[in-house]
Structure formats: C-alpha cells, structure tokens
Amino acid sequence: MEKTLKKHMMKSFYKIESSHLLSMIRRGLTMLVPILVIGTMTHAILYFPNESFRYLIEERVPMISQFLEIIYQGTFGMFSMCLVISLSISYAMEKGEEIDKMFFYAIVAVASFGTQLGMVDGEIQTDILGNTGCFMAMIVGLLSCAMFHRLRKIEGISLRKYTVGMEAIPANAIQSILPATITVGSFALIQYAVTAISGEKNLYTLLTGFAYRGFEGIGNGFLSALLYTVLVHVLWILGFHGSHMMETVAIDNFSAVGENIIFSKSFFDTFVVMGGCGTTICALIGIFLVARKTRMRNIGKLALPTIIFNSNDILNFGIPIILNPVLAIPFVCVPIMALVVSYGAVALGLVPCVTHEITWTMPILFSGYMATDSVAGSILQLVIVIVGLAMYIPFLKMYEKIYDLKMEEKMQNLIRGLQECEEKGQKPDFLQRIDDSGMVARTLLQELKADLKNKKLYLMYQPQVNREGKYIGGEALIRWQHPEYGFIYPPLIIYLATEGGILPELERELVDMAVKAIQQISEKCEEDFKISINITAHSLNWELEECIKEKLEECHVPAEKLWLEITEQDVLTNSEIVTRKIHQLKEAGHRLLIDDFGMGHTSLIYLQSDNFDVVKLDGSLVRQIVENETNQKIIASIVELGRKLRINVIAEFVENEEQKQKLEELGCYCYQGYLYGKPMLLEEFIENLCENHARK
C-alpha cells in the first residue's frame, strides 16, 4: 500500500514538474541566480548580527554600508523587474521564437508590469520592483507574453503586409505595435479598475490588505500564530514574499515580548523560521546528507553562508523551492511542526519565554540562548532541526529522483535527435537551437571544454579476439562521466567537440592516452598487440597525422601498433584532403579499419584502394545474424569479398556463443563484443590480456 501510494505521488509530482508552465518559471528563476547570490551576500553583510561590526560599517565607515546598500538595491531592489525580463525570455524560448523576436516579448512584459506600479498622484510604488513583487512579476510577465504571442499570430493585428522586404528588427518592431498596444492597455485597464473599485494602489496592496484584515480581532494566541505561519509559507510557495506581505500582521499581533507572552516576532525568528522561511536550515543539512547530484550540493554550498544568517533566497530561487510541488510540502509542514513543538515546550515550562528581541540574522543556537537567557532555547532549536530534517529528507530524495528523470528525458531526446540525424544523413544543429535539446547541448559543450582541460575524459578498452578466443587487439573507447547525466553517449561527445571547435584538443588527448596505453601494454606483454582508436573525416581536416607521429616518437611506439578506425560514412566523404591523409597514414605504417561496414553506404572503390586492411561488420547485421537469413547472406558476401581482397573482417556486438558459431560458419574469425568482455579500464584490460595470453 505504501509503495503504491509513493508510486502515485511520484507520478503526479513528475507530471506537475514536467509542465511547460513550471519549466518556463524555473528557467526564468535560474537566469536570476547571479543577482540572487550578489543580493543575498550583500544582505547578509549589511545585517550581520554583531553590534561592533554594524557600528563599524554604519557609523565609523558609513561609506561601506552605503556602498552595500546601493548593491542591494541594484539587485534585490530590482528583483521583480529582472524576473519579468527573464520570464519573458523564457516564455519566448519555450515557444521557439527566434532571438530577434525575444526582446519584444521582454519589452512588452516590462511595460505591462510597469502599469502595476500603482502610479497615484505621480508617485510610484517602488517596493513592488524588489522581491516583494515576485508573484505579480510572474503573473504579469507570463500573461502579458501569452497575450502578446497570440495577438502576433492574428494577421490583421500583426501588420505583416506592411513589413514585406524589411530587415528583421524593423519588421518585428512594426508587427509588434498593435499586439503590444492591446497587451499593455489591457493591464493598464486592470490596474485602473483595481484602483477605482478598491482604492488600493494595485493588486498587490489589495491582497496584502485582505491578509491583514483577516487577523483583526483574533489576538495573538496559538490559532493566530498557526494561521500566520501557514499563510506566510503558502504565500512564499506561490511566489509572494510572505514575510513582507504579513509584516503588518506581525507588527500588530506579535510585536510584544515578555515573560508571559509566548508568541512574538522574535519567537518566530528564533524557533520557527531558522535558516529562513520554511525552516530551510533543515533543507540545507538534508541536501548535504542525502543529495547525490553535484547541482544540488553546489546550490547548498552557495546558500550555506547566508542560511547561517537566516537568509534563504538562494535555496528558494536556486533549487527552486518556490512553486515546487514536492518541496512545498515540507516547506509548509516543517514550520508548523516547529511552531507546535516550541509552543508545547514553552507552555509546559521546559523552555523560558522569549524575553529579548534579537536581530533576525542571529545564527541558530546563539539566537536560542540569547532570546531565552537559557541553554534550553538552544536545545529546543536542535530538537526542531532534527525533526525537521527527518521531514525534509524523504521529499529531497523524491525531488532528486524526479529531477533525474527530467534530466534523463532531456538527454534521451537529444540523443534520439542526434541518432535520427545520423540515420537520415542530416547535419545536426542542436548548438544553434533554443529548445531544451539546444540548451542541454550548449551546457554540455561548456562542461566538455572544462572537463577536457581538467583531463576528466578517459578511455576504456574492449578486447578483440580470434576464433580461439585469444586477445589480438583492443578498441579504445572514449568515456565521459557527467555528474548529472552519467555516461555521455560517445557520438554526442564527438558532435559537440566537432561543432564546438574543440575536436583537435579532444583528439590530441585521446591519441596521448591511447599511445601511452600501448606503451604500458608493451612493457607487460611482449607479444604483438595493437590498439585501435576512432577518427572521423573531420579529424583529417587538421594535422592529426602530425600529432600521432609526434606522440608515437615520444613514447617509442611503432605505428603498426596503433590502428585507426573510420566509419563507412566518413570514408565516403568526397574530399581530396581526407583521401590524401588516409593514404599518408597508411604509408606511415598504421593499419586502417572501416567501421560500421555493411550499412548500405559502401563504395567498393575504397576497398580497391589498398588503404584499408580491416572492415568491421555493422552491429545491426551481427545482432540478428542467428534468425535473419538475409543478414547471414550479407555477412557471407562481405567475408568472401574480404578474403579475395585480403581484407580481414571483425564482427562487433558478439554477445553469445550462438552468434559466434554462426559467424564462424560464415568464415568470420575475429570478434568483439560482450561475449569476450565489456569495455574496461586499462589496468583491468592489461590484467585480462596477460591472463588470456598465458592460457592460450
């Protein structure tokens, strides 16, 4: 029953998490991480809980606090306006708009948001520009973009007939005139209606007023404190700045501090919102304890310096927790638990009442002791954190699983797209696209550059054997272990390196590793042996042959021990450079192999050139060899052709004895596949090689 419930929860959460709306909002929030980090760090310094330090920056050297305040106002003071811009760009990306159209979405969204600033008697409500206006920014930003997008598609409104022959920017500007006018005018009308009917400056102040009036006359008892706690955190999850919206309530109902008063603003700061709203000190500890992925741990590391001082914006917007259907549950429930436990402890006399007002940035344990004049206050904080941690951990694990599924889906979509391009003979364009696949590809390219520089890519080696099972060689296979996506599909690595302009750097590293591997094998195994590496037509457009020659001479390795594999499609590249360099590599002593032979692209002219010594059967032929008579005939023909031209044939993807026996019947006597060994690290490969040769 429990497993079934958990499965249904995972399915529901995954569906919500994968919605286009949340994807747009998440992408928009992620764009704001730089200003979040700057603003949060500045805020932590400005409100550092040490009187001497505060006196220094405010009184002795006021220029410091003034400088920090300017930074804070330039980041968090404009947070909602920045959010409108990032969300509008995210919306345009989701709709697949071209770059020259994206900026018009941002312009219209900013203008629409500007109508909500409550301009009354020439005054502007500037606080809505900061993080207090997050919810308004989300609503106005997304709705204005949706309206603008739909209006642009209407022929009569877009004025397209007047833009024939114009350049892109002027054409898009004219096509945006009427859609922008209608969109901005609609939001201005909403703002006017709110002001005229309610007398409030805008929708934000209207909602704040409703929240305040809901607390009139209910005092400051437990029910009032519970309602306050729930509302603050629900508002946060929805994107409102709950603490700011409920600030008037906190001042009117919970400002007093005394021996007989349990609930006060300092009580909430000390026991309920440790680490910020959501008691996110528990979430942070949970991330360090159970998070497996680098992304979550890195966000935790960034948030740590500010969470200590109860500022959690990096976690709220970086993970994000806001609008997160999974983490919303502990974000609301843990503070409720903290309220109930701390109320019980104080009511039972186990912990003294909060008798001192403390600054909200005071770190945990210190705040508990200073607020109550008792170590019992600190112990109570520890108890709440432990219980809260236990509540957060299952949801953190669930969120990470869901996040992994989303990332895997995006990666599989990219891989499928690449494979489709390979099958159709099309050139992939993922690095130029602005959809999810494009963003994943560009991110991977940047990380590939960094990992290549830091030598994090490596080779694994799969044995190639003869009919007696003796190792006669091995293929070096590139591997890249990504911290989020796991092992990256090797053709994707090559595509990124080729299109990203780093193929020479990648292949220099691969040649270096392969030649050094041959050197190590030769030192431990005296018998003749070879390692093959894969190259492409693009490899031959730079001085790869010189790179190979230099590395072979440096390591004193003969050229005949380094074999070169090139795919059949690349062999067919009609390029004089490719043909000439293939011949040069052959003349230098390398043996050349045609990989994936038999896919239907073959030109027999290349087999007649005497440049190639080996063909490797395409895996699609070998996999179905037992049950597919057509494949048997094709393989038999290739083997016979190879025998007549003195070209050896190696069968890849040999996974069982039945396949091996059928290949042997057809005259193919060299094999590579899981039947003889999976790709393995060099040390294991050498160990297996030595054991194999000792037996044979």
Side-chain angles (χ1 to χ4, degrees), residues 67-93:
F67 176 70
L68 293 173
E69 186 65 33
I70 292 171
I71 295 176
Y72 180 78
Q73 292 301 328
T75 52
F76 272 7
M78 296 294 292
F79 184 81
S80 290
M81 182 62 79
C82 294
L83 181 58
V84 169
I85 296 171
S86 65
L87 284 175
S88 60
I89 293 173
S90 178
Y91 182 94
M93 292 171 66

Side-chain angles (χ1 to χ4, degrees), residues 250-270:
I251 293 172
D252 288 357
N253 292 57
F254 306 113
S255 59
V257 173
E259 293 184 0
N260 298 318
I261 299 174
I262 295 180
F263 299 111
S264 64
K265 178 68 168 59
S266 290
F267 175 89
F268 288 108
D269 291 339
T270 302

Side-chain angles (χ1 to χ4, degrees), residues 517-531:
I518 296 171
Q519 187 181 41
Q520 292 183 49
I521 292 171
S522 300
E523 291 171 355
K524 297 184 179 181
C525 181
E526 295 181 358
E527 296 187 46
D528 185 38
F529 199 81
K530 57 83 181 174
I531 291 291

Side-chain angles (χ1 to χ4, degrees), residues 98-111:
E98 298 170 355
I99 294 176
D100 54 1
K101 293 180 181 177
M102 285 185 182
F103 299 105
F104 292 98
Y105 282 82
I107 292 167
V108 171
V110 168

